[in-house]
Amino acid sequence: MEMHTDRLVLRDYTVDDFAAVHAFASDPRIATFVDWGPNTEHDTRHFLDTCVTSQTVLPRTEFSLAVTLPGETPLGSVGLTVDEQHHGHLGYVIGAEHWGKGYATEAAACLLSYGQEALMLERIEATCRPANLASAKVLEKIGMTLEGLRPNDKFVRGTWSDSLVFVVIRN
Ligand SMILES: CC(C)(COP(=O)(O)OP(=O)(O)OC[C@H]1O[C@@H](n2cnc3c(N)ncnc32)[C@H](O)[C@@H]1OP(=O)(O)O)[C@@H](O)C(=O)NCCC(=O)NCCS
């Protein structure tokens, strides 16, 4: 699977992406507001193995895509998971040295459109921690609406954390 935006190519991972993925996923800066990482090498291998396996499942329910500049190695990741209710769950991470260039917005908008138009998902949700202002901004910029706050939604590194819930409903 491969999709193009103005600046980016979103494509399926291969195991050859290990070094580039591990470079951003093992960076402590990206783990502040997510419930995974910083990755060990084993974590990154497991992530890539899971991605590659999910590409062959039909119907496909996991769309973890490498965010790349044309011809370059991954600089981040964007993902859409379809649950048993046929609802989508969107997420993303961008390598810290590339923050603030609009890449998360561009990649997430593209996968959101794919979920709505190609997969015909009625509801797509994304969550972020209330303190993750950059992520909340991305979700607003791609047209998602703040639905509410889910208290004590995630237990991360020994602490319960609230989530802001953003949604987009297909008309
Ligand atoms: C969240 C994340 C994906 C954003 O990636 P990015 O490529 O820098 O995002 P964009 O450049 O598309 O947009 C970020 C927006 O947030 C804004 N922003 C960044 N830091 C901010 C802050 N501390 N307060 C308010 N706004 C902030 C930027 O100015 C930008 O908005 P603008 O275009 O109106 O100027 C990136 O910071 C990241 O990977 N973080 C770690 C993993 C993570 O938190 N993932 C999301 C889990 S919910």
Side-chain angles (χ1 to χ4, degrees):
M1 178 172 173
E2 185 169 304
M3 295 189 291
H4 293 245
T5 68
D6 285 349
R7 294 177 294 172
L8 302 171
V9 179
L10 312 182
R11 60 152 174 85
D12 277 329
Y13 280 110
T14 75
V15 289
D16 295 339
D17 291 319
F18 176 81
V21 173
H22 195 60
F24 67 75
S26 62
D27 182 338
R29 288 174 291 180
I30 57 99
T32 308
F33 294 118
V34 291
D35 53 8
W36 54 272
N39 273 13
T40 62
E41 290 194 357
H42 176 269
D43 293 332
T44 300
R45 264 190 212 99
H46 178 69
F47 169 73
L48 285 174
D49 287 346
T50 304
C51 292
V52 170
T53 302
S54 73
Q55 293 161 14
T56 61
V57 173
L58 292 174
R60 187 166 174 181
T61 57
E62 297 280 346
F63 301 83
S64 280
L65 301 177
V67 177
T68 72
L69 292 166
E72 295 193 13
T73 55
L75 60 86
S77 194
V78 62
L80 180 68
T81 301
V82 181
D83 69 18
E84 56 287 344
Q85 292 176 286
H86 205 57
H87 292 164
H89 300 266
L90 184 70
Y92 39 74
V93 56
I94 297 293
E97 63 272 31
H98 297 285
W99 287 354
K101 299 177 183 171
Y103 291 154
T105 303
E106 206 167 307
C110 180
L111 198 51
L112 184 70
S113 295
Y114 180 79
Q116 291 192 289
E117 289 158 26
L119 303 177
M120 309 282 280
L121 301 176
E122 294 297 328
R123 176 188 166 96
I124 300 177
E125 179 178 302
T127 60
C128 71
R129 306 253 185 96
N132 195 350
L133 301 178
S135 185
K137 191 77 183 287
V138 168
L139 296 172
E140 285 165 9
K141 285 195 292 179
I142 64 174
M144 298 186 78
T145 303
L146 179 60
E147 187 177 58
L149 182 134
R150 200 176 279 157
N152 284 357
D153 187 38
K154 293 188 176 162
F155 191 68
V156 185
R157 298 176 200 102
T159 310
W160 285 101
S161 170
D162 300 343
S163 293
L164 294 178
V165 182
F166 288 79
V167 294
V168 63
I169 308 292
R170 203 168 152 268
N171 294 311

